[in-house]
């Protein structure tokens, strides 16, 4: 592929985002990598690529002659685990994730096939009831359950660890490095230490094992190839942590669409794969309540995984501070 300036670039709400795309040498290397992979498969580029630049990724849609496009993704160094993780997931839970066409772990690059329509596109086009969201959460929980035996392997791929027993330490580290917190905000968070330690201990005592948490599973991070069936992608925010932390983002999106009364049925669907393991329904619901609040730590950590800022500023600090402050809010009653 040639860099002829014809690419359509989308910067969204981040016109000043610092990404490697602006460097000619990096851009040429990425285009050569994609072009070589396509040529080896006998595929022909048909038109200008579309490029989406965000502080946390470079995403490029490459149109092909006679078939669906392919997608190139570049992650920041701290998110370079996404390619190897996605490839491993394609082996461990086939059919539930996209299978990469190629991965360059050293450079944080990945080439993916087209996954079809996102769930968000489906929601925009046709009426979809809560049952689809129940099916989504049931499938996601089942995937997490199936990945429990692979938790150590996932961590060895470079996926960040935020294991339940270590969350107090994770909290301390996030608060210490965040310079966007005001003095009053920092004091309120530091005053939360004893309660947070108790929450983590109580959550760990339930005994639900740590596994993979997507950490940002919303309707734009899913394909829906058929009613009641989903394909998960975009694992750049993932961590090895308590699985129930993964419920929050999806449930909040559904609540925004259908109202708070949808939460109990979504919780029941999500917890279904975790029943029958010797834990009572009350224990699982309490664990979900605790994990809902503590999921803010995963979101705060993910905001720090962006392309380095040439100015030396720590990217994502403001967004990370906002996530940390969510620890102070009570979870919705229906979540637990």
């Amino acid at each position: 592929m040639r860099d002829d300036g014809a690419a359509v670039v989308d910067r969204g709400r981040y016109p000043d985002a610092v990404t490697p795309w602006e460097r000619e040498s990096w851009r040429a290397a990425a285009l050569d990598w994609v072009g070589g992979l396509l040529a080896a498969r006998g595929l022909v580029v048909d038109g200008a690529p579309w490029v989406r630049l965000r502080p946390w990724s470079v995403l490029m849609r490459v149109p092909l002659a006679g078939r669906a496009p392919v997608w190139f993704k570049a992650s920041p160094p701290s998110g370079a685990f996404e390619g190897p993780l996605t490839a491993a997931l394609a082996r461990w839970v086939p059919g539930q994730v996209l299978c990469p066409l190629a991965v360059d772990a050293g450079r944080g690059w990945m080439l993916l096939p087209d996954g079809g329509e996102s769930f968000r596109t489906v929601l925009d086009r046709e009426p979809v009831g809560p049952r689809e969201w129940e099916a989504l959460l049931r499938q996601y929980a089942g995937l997490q359950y199936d990945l429990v035996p692979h938790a150590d392997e996932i961590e060895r791929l470079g996926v960040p660890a935020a294991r339940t027993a270590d969350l107090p330490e994770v909290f301390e580290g996030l608060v210490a490095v965040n310079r966007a917190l005001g003095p009053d905000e920092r004091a309120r968070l530091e005053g939360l230490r004893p309660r947070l330690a108790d929450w983590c201990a109580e959550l760990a005592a339930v005994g639900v094992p740590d596994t993979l948490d997507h950490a940002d599973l919303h309707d734009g991070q899913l394909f829906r190839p058929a009613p009641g069936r989903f394909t998960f992608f975009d694992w750049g925010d993932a961590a090895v942590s308590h699985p129930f932390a993964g419920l929050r983002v999806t449930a909040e999106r559904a609540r925004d669409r259908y109202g708070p009364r949808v939460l109990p049925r979504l919780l029941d669907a999500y917890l279904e794969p975790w029943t029958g393991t010797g834990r009572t329904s009350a224990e699982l619901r309490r664990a979900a309540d605790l994990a809902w609040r503590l999921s803010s730590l995963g979101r705060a950590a993910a905001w720090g995984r962006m392309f380095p800022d040439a100015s030396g500023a720590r990217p994502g600090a403001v967004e990370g501070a906002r996530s940390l402050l969510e620890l102070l809010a009570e979870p919705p009653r229906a979540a637990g």
Side-chain angles (χ1 to χ4, degrees):
M1 292 177 62
R2 293 182 306 157
D3 178 16
D4 56 8
V8 178
V9 178
D10 168 20
R11 295 181 178 272
R13 297 184 292 108
Y14 303 90
D16 301 320
V18 178
T19 76
W21 179 261
E22 284 73 28
R23 300 201 307 268
E24 183 177 351
S25 60
W26 185 94
R27 191 166 63 247
L31 292 170
D32 284 347
W33 185 72
V34 173
L37 291 168
L38 296 178
R41 291 167 170 77
L43 302 174
V44 178
V45 177
D46 184 22
W50 171 83
V51 182
R52 192 196 73 171
L53 303 181
R54 298 294 187 267
W56 53 85
S57 69
V58 172
L59 185 67
M60 178 168 61
R61 177 185 182 273
V62 182
L64 301 178
R67 56 166 289 169
V70 293
W71 297 80
F72 165 83
K73 183 175 183 179
S75 300
S78 57
F81 63 81
E82 185 178 0
L85 172 62
T86 303
L89 293 177
R91 298 192 303 271
W92 294 331
V93 285
Q96 298 199 61
V97 301
L98 290 179
C99 183
L101 301 173
V103 170
D104 186 327
R107 293 188 285 192
W109 293 354
M110 178 169 48
L111 190 67
L112 291 162
D114 189 68
E117 285 190 322
S118 72
F119 189 34
R120 179 174 296 167
T121 299
V122 174
L123 291 170
D124 289 342
R125 188 189 65 236
E126 62 188 56
V128 175
R131 285 187 181 275
E132 281 293 276
W133 295 79
E134 293 173 44
L136 157 59
L137 284 169
R138 192 177 294 110
Q139 181 184 336
Y140 175 55
L143 176 147
Q144 290 181 295
Y145 186 89
D146 290 343
L147 290 174
V148 167
H150 299 287
D152 291 342
E153 295 172 85
I154 292 171
E155 195 172 335
R156 286 195 292 270
L157 292 173
V159 178
R163 291 182 179 266
T164 307
D166 299 328
L167 288 178
E169 183 179 345
V170 172
F171 168 78
E172 295 289 349
L174 290 170
V175 173
V177 301
N178 193 294
R179 297 293 176 259
L181 290 167
D184 292 343
E185 294 170 334
R186 186 176 299 277
R188 292 175 67 199
L189 287 171
E190 290 174 350
L192 198 64
R193 283 192 183 107
R195 294 178 65 199
L196 186 135
D198 289 343
W199 295 332
C200 295
E202 184 181 356
L203 181 59
V206 175
V208 174
D210 294 321
T211 183
L212 186 65
D213 172 22
H214 184 286
D216 193 28
L217 191 63
H218 57 71
D219 49 312
Q221 312 276 46
L222 302 154
F223 299 113
R224 196 195 72 162
R229 188 67 184 171
F230 299 88
T231 304
F232 306 104
F233 70 97
D234 200 343
W235 297 92
D237 291 341
V240 176
S241 193
H242 197 284
F244 294 4
L247 168 67
R248 179 174 177 174
V249 171
T250 316
E252 285 182 331
R253 293 299 178 97
R255 180 188 62 188
D256 292 344
R257 180 173 289 269
Y258 305 108
R261 288 186 295 180
V262 75
L263 290 178
R265 58 192 292 185
L266 294 180
L267 178 63
D268 288 343
Y270 177 80
L271 292 179
E272 185 176 312
W274 300 98
T275 59
T277 56
R279 300 170 187 92
T280 67
S281 175
E283 288 175 326
L284 291 174
R285 287 177 172 274
R286 176 58 178 163
D289 185 68
L290 292 164
W292 182 289
R293 189 196 294 261
L294 293 168
S295 67
S296 299
L297 294 172
R299 297 299 307 136
W303 277 114
R305 297 202 287 272
M306 295 187 180
F307 292 114
D309 191 328
S311 70
R314 180 179 289 274
V318 172
E319 296 88 349
R322 189 178 302 123
S323 293
L324 285 171
L325 292 169
E326 290 176 356
L327 288 164
L328 299 165
E330 292 294 326
R333 296 182 65 86

